Amino acid sequence: ETGVTQTPRHLVMGMTNKKSLKCEQHLGHNAMYWYKQSAKKPLELMFVYSLEERVENNSVPSRFSPECPNSSHLFLHLHTLQPEDSALYLCASSQGTRGVETQYFGPGTRLLVL
Amino acid sequence: DQQVKQNSPSLSVQEGRISILNCDYTNSMFDYFLWYKKYPAEGPTFLISISSIKDKNEDGRFTVFLNKSAKHLSLHIVPSQPGDSAVYFCAASAGNAGNMLTFGGGTRLMVKP
């Protein structure tokens, strides 16, 4: 596997379910990101991790809980979501976070909350 | 309020002609701008970038122009090819938060053979 991978690619869940999205990067990067893209809206940055420490939490509701166990893996734990949380969730990685560095994106997980 | 706007949701161009995609921003602290391209079922891929100290950056068929006074940037693709058909996003960042990208809503480009 190369680049940034995300699993699952598609997910349907009920509002009472608990699920997790997984992201893995094979680029040796030190920073990872979660973005959300809702229909007809721009990509919105949710979380930033640098060297496994969270450096940004962009006013995201607590029903989204990120986890970064090491620099290659990033999870987004989901619980008691709402239908308006249905969106494409994109993971990205970059070499660092100190300057503007190219972010490499995964293919995304398309989430539907019923 | 969106700080980065792409006012044209779609653009259709004939193969071989020029494609011009536009992006406007409101935050005067933005000093680095990027264009990403996205095919269906794939994540965005980096295309080209420009720093605010420049007004033009060129990479092959792709050129980005920056007009700081107008807070406007554009991406020119010459000549356009059918494989360029995709959604194009512009993004911006401020120097003190370089990795925090603010994206526009995207423009869908269709290049007709």
Side-chain angles (χ1 to χ4, degrees):
Chain A
E1 290 274 17
T2 57
V4 182
T5 58
Q6 290 186 245
T7 54
R9 295 294 307 274
H10 300 271
L11 179 63
V12 180
M13 62 186 288
M15 289 189 283
T16 58
N17 291 157
K18 289 185 180 181
K19 297 285 184 183
S20 296
L21 309 185
K22 179 182 176 182
C23 176
E24 185 172 359
Q25 59 95 0
H26 309 268
L27 301 168
H29 288 166
N30 293 314
M32 297 186 78
Y33 311 77
W34 279 117
Y35 286 87
K36 174 184 176 182
Q37 186 178 23
S38 304
K40 300 188 190 287
K41 286 188 177 180
L43 275 78
E44 300 172 67
L45 180 65
M46 299 175 74
F47 299 105
V48 181
Y49 275 83
S50 175
L51 296 171
E52 299 124 59
E53 287 190 21
R54 191 189 311 179
V55 296
E56 179 72 17
N57 175 353
N58 216 12
S59 303
V60 179
S62 59
R63 57 185 184 270
F64 295 91
S65 174
E67 178 191 1
C68 188
N70 56 62
S71 59
S72 298
H73 294 86
L74 184 66
F75 294 90
L76 188 63
H77 303 301
L78 317 171
H79 63 98
T80 61
L81 293 193
Q82 304 297 311
E84 59 264 30
D85 296 322
S86 299
L88 179 68
Y89 289 85
L90 289 159
C91 172
S93 71
S94 67
Q95 182 60 50
T97 59
R98 293 198 170 204
V100 181
E101 311 217 15
T102 300
Q103 295 182 24
Y104 295 82
F105 285 82
T109 294
R110 188 161 293 283
L111 173 67
L112 177 62
V113 181
L114 300 176
Chain B
D1 188 34
Q2 279 185 249
Q3 297 186 65
V4 178
K5 288 186 180 179
Q6 294 175 254
N7 290 317
S8 298
S10 65
L11 174 68
S12 183
V13 170
Q14 203 67 35
E15 181 179 7
R17 306 294 292 268
I18 184 171
S19 295
I20 300 176
L21 297 103
N22 294 303
C23 180
D24 296 291
Y25 62 96
T26 57
N27 188 342
S28 58
M29 299 301 291
F30 287 147
D31 59 1
Y32 199 81
F33 305 89
L34 308 90
W35 284 94
Y36 279 81
K37 174 167 123 175
K38 185 180 185 301
Y39 292 118
E42 295 182 14
T45 55
F46 171 74
L47 194 56
I48 192 169
S49 62
I50 188 166
S51 163
S52 60
I53 62 173
K54 293 185 173 183
D55 54 19
K56 177 182 172 182
N57 188 26
E58 191 172 350
D59 183 2
R61 297 186 296 115
F62 302 91
T63 303
V64 56
F65 295 91
L66 176 62
N67 182 333
K68 289 187 290 292
S69 60
K71 293 190 176 69
H72 177 84
L73 66 154
S74 60
L75 175 67
H76 293 211
I77 307 174
V78 182
S80 302
Q81 299 174 354
D84 296 328
S85 298
V87 178
Y88 289 78
F89 295 97
C90 70
S93 70
N96 61 344
N99 62 314
M100 310 298 180
L101 297 180
T102 302
F103 281 84
T107 296
R108 181 177 300 279
L109 173 67
M110 292 162 285
V111 179
K112 298 177 181 177

